[in-house]
Amino acid sequence: HKSHFFDELKKFNPKNFDAIFHLGACSSTTETDFDYLWNNNVEFSMRLAEYAMENKIRYIYASSAATYGAMEQGFSDDENQLTNLKPINRYGYSKHKFDLMLLKKGWLKETVGLKFFNVYGPNEYHKGDMRSMIHKAFGQIRETGKIKLFKSYRKEFADGEQKRDFIYVKDCAEVMLWLLENSQVHGIFNLGTGQARSWNDLAKAVFTSMNRPVQIEYIEMPKNIRNAYQYFTQANMDKLRNAGYTQAFTSLEEGVQDYVKNYLEKDGYLV
């Protein structure tokens, strides 16, 4: 537990650590308690970064695509553009603030921050409302035969045509292992597929994987999130590619098929 973590850490010799992967955070995009977000996503992360820097341990941590805010800001992971970003929710701001703190200290030249886009896949069952739409959709289809998606409130996007860069968790793990093996790589990197897909595409992929007919119901978006809703995200993956990562990313259809057939249908719908 985070309240015991640093006491437990004292029991270990830091020379025995090859790297620290720091993925822990409050990842709720609807969290309103900023003190809680600050304690979890900034102060704790900084304390662990300081430990890594003091002991010369490779530090690879989770940033977030939520740091980009509205799509008008673009999705460049160029560190020279960091100060221009304007997150549109408290969670995104907390993750952005930590990126900026490492930039100011000059530590991005020694660490790696990964701006995860929409990650989905096995073992997210504990995440409640923050689990992927694929996991939610599987349950909705099994229980009602249909999927509920938010209506669009922007004329340039039809209902269900809001887009995200969905990336399979297995691909994320491959990138992280590559970073472990390539210690010369540092800085902020996007982690998506580089291909935005619609919620309708996602829904159809889940129906297909479950061998069910497509039935989508478009529902009203809660008013409290309408002004902080991202209508389009798409990772610019040039930086990671230029750093030497060459492995292909799993398509949405392939990832959903693997997740549904080899995990959700076998493990059961776990919440």
Side-chain angles (χ1 to χ4, degrees), residues 2-271:
K2 64 185 180 185
S3 62
H4 302 141
F5 179 80
F6 287 104
D7 287 334
E8 292 295 319
L9 195 58
K10 294 174 183 176
K11 300 176 182 179
F12 296 89
N13 185 344
K15 293 182 179 179
N16 293 332
F17 298 142
D18 295 312
I20 294 173
F21 288 98
H22 177 43
L23 306 180
C26 170
S27 61
S28 174
T29 57
T30 58
E31 179 59 60
T32 58
D33 185 343
F34 193 72
D35 287 339
Y36 180 73
L37 285 164
W38 186 265
N39 291 336
N40 279 271
N41 298 356
V42 181
E43 290 184 346
F44 188 97
S45 298
M46 181 54 69
R47 189 175 174 188
L48 192 55
E50 289 169 348
Y51 175 87
M53 293 298 99
E54 289 170 3
N55 293 288
K56 302 187 184 317
I57 302 169
R58 184 157 173 74
Y59 186 66
I60 300 170
Y61 72 94
S63 181
S64 172
T67 58
Y68 289 117
M71 63 184 182
E72 289 80 3
Q73 298 294 321
F75 303 97
S76 170
D77 48 8
D78 181 352
E79 285 140 41
N80 293 321
Q81 301 298 318
L82 267 182
T83 57
N84 298 328
L85 301 182
K86 297 178 181 179
I88 54 178
N89 58 49
R90 290 174 174 86
Y91 162 73
Y93 179 79
S94 70
K95 303 299 282 186
H96 180 51
K97 186 63 177 178
F98 182 67
D99 292 340
L100 291 175
M101 290 170 75
L102 292 195
L103 177 68
K104 185 176 180 179
K105 287 177 174 288
W107 288 358
L108 289 180
K109 296 177 181 178
E110 302 177 64
T111 62
V112 177
L114 293 171
K115 294 204 174 194
F116 290 99
F117 278 65
N118 280 63
V119 183
Y120 66 94
N123 300 321
E124 61 174 331
Y125 316 122
H126 63 288
K127 294 184 67 176
D129 197 47
M130 289 298 111
R131 67 196 191 280
S132 75
M133 185 59 201
I134 295 154
H135 186 271
K136 295 177 183 177
F138 180 84
Q140 289 179 18
I141 294 171
R142 199 174 67 169
E143 293 164 13
T144 68
K146 63 184 178 182
I147 291 176
K148 294 181 179 181
L149 297 177
F150 287 140
K151 293 179 179 178
S152 172
Y153 297 85
R154 296 179 62 161
K155 61 182 180 181
E156 63 267 39
F157 292 91
D159 291 341
E161 287 302 306
Q162 309 95 317
K163 293 184 176 181
R164 294 284 190 278
D165 192 334
F166 301 103
I167 182 165
Y168 200 25
V169 69
K170 292 184 180 182
D171 289 338
C172 295
E174 290 293 339
V175 170
M176 291 163 64
L177 290 172
W178 181 84
L179 288 166
L180 181 62
E181 296 166 358
N182 290 269
S183 58
Q184 77 283 0
V185 178
H186 301 98
I188 294 281
F189 292 91
N190 284 335
L191 189 42
T193 65
Q195 180 65 50
R197 301 293 301 276
S198 72
W199 293 108
N200 286 331
D201 290 336
L202 181 150
K204 291 171 185 175
V206 179
F207 279 113
T208 299
S209 297
M210 296 178 70
N211 298 313
R212 301 284 192 97
V214 177
Q215 293 189 56
I216 301 173
E217 177 186 348
Y218 300 103
I219 63 173
E220 300 293 337
M221 186 184 298
K223 291 182 179 180
N224 65 314
I225 67 171
R226 288 183 193 178
N227 293 330
Y229 183 82
Q230 290 177 303
Y231 274 76
F232 179 90
T233 67
Q234 180 171 279
N236 182 330
M237 295 303 296
D238 291 346
K239 190 175 177 184
L240 185 65
R241 292 303 191 191
N242 291 337
Y245 190 77
T246 59
Q247 192 161 321
F249 292 110
T250 307
S251 72
L252 178 62
E253 287 75 13
E254 291 171 334
V256 170
Q257 177 83 6
D258 183 56
Y259 188 16
V260 169
K261 292 298 185 186
N262 295 318
Y263 298 92
L264 294 178
E265 288 186 343
K266 289 185 177 181
D267 299 340
Y269 181 60
L270 305 176
V271 179

